Amino acid sequence: MMKLRGTLAPGEEVLIATRSQASALLPALWEGLGAVLAFSFASTISADSSVLAWAGYFLATFFSWKCLRRVVRWGSTGFFLTNSRVVIQRGFGTSSQVSLPLAVIEGVDVRPAALRGADGAHLHLHVQGEVHVLRSVPRGHDFSHEIRGAQNRLMQRLSWSAMY
């Protein structure tokens, strides 16, 4: 279960909490398969050629590292939409967290993910000349509509409170 680290402002509530789709782990599957094949090759050839065996072990270690890195990155990244901001949370513990107030988000571009069968999309949030990318967001079009809806509700609240 994902949890937003830190405290919420008074009156702030989390509307949506999600992480990248599991289909974003398919490259990790291929890297894991490459690691198994490289290790198998290295262990088979080790009696005949120690140089090729070391090259195979090196490739197995490299692919294992890439696979593990991708899985950990997927598991430790979360996207949160509150009624006042979008939060991109990366890492475990007190790691990095990017908080984007809804009032400064100028636009959201939705681009389909690489896998056409998946219902995910990459969201590009434009904020004051910068672009923040949320990768493989499940139901990306719905998430972008929720961002726009939260922006509209925030602007209505701000204009209503400015009147009184």
Side-chain angles (χ1 to χ4, degrees):
M1 178 177 204
M2 293 181 358
K3 184 177 179 185
L4 181 62
R5 290 187 299 266
T7 58
L8 295 173
E12 184 179 24
E13 60 185 32
V14 175
L15 304 175
I16 298 175
T18 189
R19 73 172 72 247
S20 295
Q21 283 186 305
S23 63
L25 290 175
L26 284 177
L29 177 68
W30 291 111
E31 291 161 353
L33 181 61
V36 169
L37 290 175
F39 183 79
S40 176
F41 169 78
S43 62
T44 303
I45 200 88
S46 65
D48 297 333
S49 172
S50 64
V51 172
L52 285 176
W54 279 107
Y57 289 131
F58 174 77
L59 274 176
T61 303
F62 174 73
F63 282 131
S64 297
W65 174 76
K66 285 191 57 113
C67 174
L68 182 62
R69 191 178 115 200
R70 192 179 301 267
V71 169
V72 167
R73 186 180 298 155
W74 175 83
S76 65
T77 301
F79 311 119
F80 299 88
L81 173 64
T82 72
N83 55 354
S84 63
R85 60 189 171 136
V86 174
V87 179
I88 305 167
Q89 188 169 274
R90 292 185 176 95
F92 297 105
T94 59
S95 295
S96 69
Q97 182 169 313
V98 178
S99 181
L100 307 170
L102 291 174
V104 299
I105 296 176
E106 298 162 356
V108 180
D109 291 336
V110 180
R111 299 181 185 169
L115 297 170
R116 297 291 180 211
D119 191 22
H122 303 310
L123 300 182
H124 295 247
L125 304 177
H126 300 276
V127 179
Q128 300 172 340
E130 294 181 28
V131 177
H132 297 272
V133 180
L134 284 63
R135 299 200 179 278
S136 299
V137 176
R139 299 175 49 188
H141 290 285
D142 294 341
F143 196 84
S144 71
H145 288 299
E146 289 293 330
I147 291 173
R148 290 184 195 113
Q151 279 182 313
N152 290 337
R153 289 187 297 276
L154 177 67
M155 293 305 162
Q156 288 173 353
R157 254 192 349 251
L158 291 176
S159 65
W160 181 260
S161 65
M163 292 172 61
Y164 297 99

